[in-house]
Amino acid sequence: MITARAGRPAFCAAAMDPISRVFWRRRRMTSPMGGEIPGPAGERAVLTVPPAPERSAAPVPARDGRDPFFDNAKFLLLVLVVCAHFWADWINHSDAVRSAAAWVYSFHMPAFIVLSGFLSRSYTGRPDQVQRLITGVLVPYLIFETLYALVRQYVLDEGEIDVTILQPWFVCWFLVALFIWRITVPVWRAVRWPVAVAVVISMLSGLTSNGNILQFARVLQFLPFFVLGLQLRREHFAWLRSRRIRVASAVVMCLALPVSYLVAPRLNDWEWFSWRHDYTELHVSLSFWFFMRVALFVAAVVMTAAFFSLVPNRRTWFTVMGTRTMYALLLHPLLYRAAVHAGVYDRLDSPWGKIALTAVAAVVAVVLMTAVVQRIFRPLVEPRVQRLMT
């Protein structure tokens, strides 16, 4: 409570907290000794300033109901996805590329899947939600599985390519996984310890080969991250925004680079980062498979938390592009395969060439999330087939 003499401007005090509402009232003032303090008409003006609300680091929804934080995170993750895929032909031939890829792969898909789980919390299996799931995930999957086969066979001349609906090619596995994960959301609400159960399922999936049907092994092994996302609340992301956590996160992300350089070149198989093989396919003992899987789980959780801690939660120039990540996800494989077909990797097989291609990949990711690309490819990525569902 701040006091000021009647008739004397009190806006200086009010200016200290321009957000708070200012209320004036008059009352008689007495001294601590019980005597009345004189003033004009025996009164004093009292300026009451309510305490300023505590600042929250939680994502603040925009006027359109979207959180800039989540769109920013999706944009940054998709840029990493595209860059990592463009490195694929060098991973087994360059320790530097292999280490950088290990750093990215340690968290980029786990983080993206956690976001998918968080954004699926409202799914209850209502008919309209099932309809959107079919038209927004399943139909694009069928379209792009067919498109990929046609382009690879008739444009890139990769030989006879079958349209394999049950064997997702490249990034299409994620659409299959998202469809399966989302329709199981009501089940995870009924489970007492959902994350623990999902971890057990994930670990047990490594005991036997699940084949390549719908990439089911990968669906199961990545399952804990989706279930973890279902359990998160905005308060958890707000906690990650504290200054102390952000400093620690920056340190973790930086230290992970030399650790990746020490560990990645020594791995017997890069497929550890694909999360789709059992221990027999990786040619290791069951105990070593469990050890590596636990290590990758821990690394993924720590790196994912660090990533979310460092994502900006305000609107940026790329925030709106985070609403178009599906375009970059589904279109960039065609450009990557075109680069392979054109022999780009042979001509750029040098340190500066690798840096240049990485920059090009980042630009490609950004371009594929622009409004122009959205207008052109909307019929493929967001087909309007609702009328067929009603």
Side-chain angles (χ1 to χ4, degrees), residues 28-154:
R28 300 184 67 83
M29 300 294 293
T30 58
S31 69
M33 301 301 294
E36 185 174 298
I37 301 175
E43 296 181 340
R44 293 177 64 90
V46 180
L47 175 64
T48 303
V49 183
E54 295 182 0
R55 292 184 178 181
S56 173
V60 179
R63 291 181 180 180
D64 59 0
R66 299 187 67 95
D67 269 329
F69 173 84
F70 298 112
D71 289 333
N72 292 340
K74 289 195 295 181
F75 170 86
L76 296 173
L77 288 170
L78 247 297
V79 171
L80 292 175
V81 167
V82 175
C83 290
H85 285 164
F86 270 73
W87 291 336
D89 280 39
W90 287 325
I91 284 177
N92 292 324
H93 308 291
S94 169
D95 286 351
V97 173
R98 190 180 181 92
S99 303
W103 185 82
V104 172
Y105 272 80
S106 67
F107 72 91
H108 78 317
M109 284 313 301
F112 205 85
I113 295 168
V114 167
L115 272 183
S116 300
F118 179 82
L119 298 175
S120 299
R121 293 177 305 154
S122 62
Y123 184 85
T124 59
R126 297 195 315 266
D128 61 310
Q129 292 177 326
V130 174
Q131 178 179 324
R132 287 197 300 271
L133 184 59
I134 292 174
T135 58
V137 177
L138 186 58
V139 173
Y141 166 70
L142 298 175
I143 290 174
F144 275 88
E145 270 296 300
T146 304
L147 178 64
Y148 289 154
L150 295 176
V151 172
R152 292 169 65 200
Q153 180 173 341
Y154 297 107

Side-chain angles (χ1 to χ4, degrees), residues 233-247:
R233 298 294 180 266
R234 294 180 186 274
E235 293 76 13
H236 297 114
F237 293 101
W239 178 78
L240 290 174
R241 301 291 305 176
S242 68
R243 181 178 179 83
R244 183 179 301 176
I245 299 299
R246 298 191 75 191
V247 171

Side-chain angles (χ1 to χ4, degrees), residues 185-196:
V185 169
V187 175
W188 297 111
R189 289 200 181 95
V191 176
R192 186 171 183 180
W193 296 295
V195 177

Side-chain angles (χ1 to χ4, degrees), residues 2-5 7-16 22 24 45-47 49:
I2 305 171
T3 61
R5 292 184 182 275
R8 181 176 296 180
F11 60 83
C12 293
M16 296 176 63
V22 180
W24 284 89
V46 180
L47 175 64
V49 183

Side-chain angles (χ1 to χ4, degrees), residues 299-342:
V301 171
V302 173
M303 292 288 285
T304 295
F307 169 79
F308 284 136
S309 177
L310 299 175
V311 171
N313 66 345
R314 64 185 183 281
R315 292 193 66 84
T316 65
W317 63 269
F318 56 80
T319 299
V320 67
M321 294 185 183
T323 65
R324 310 180 189 119
T325 52
M326 190 67 78
Y327 289 83
L329 179 69
L330 294 176
L331 294 173
H332 84 270
L334 297 174
L335 298 179
Y336 160 68
R337 296 302 299 179
V340 173
H341 180 72

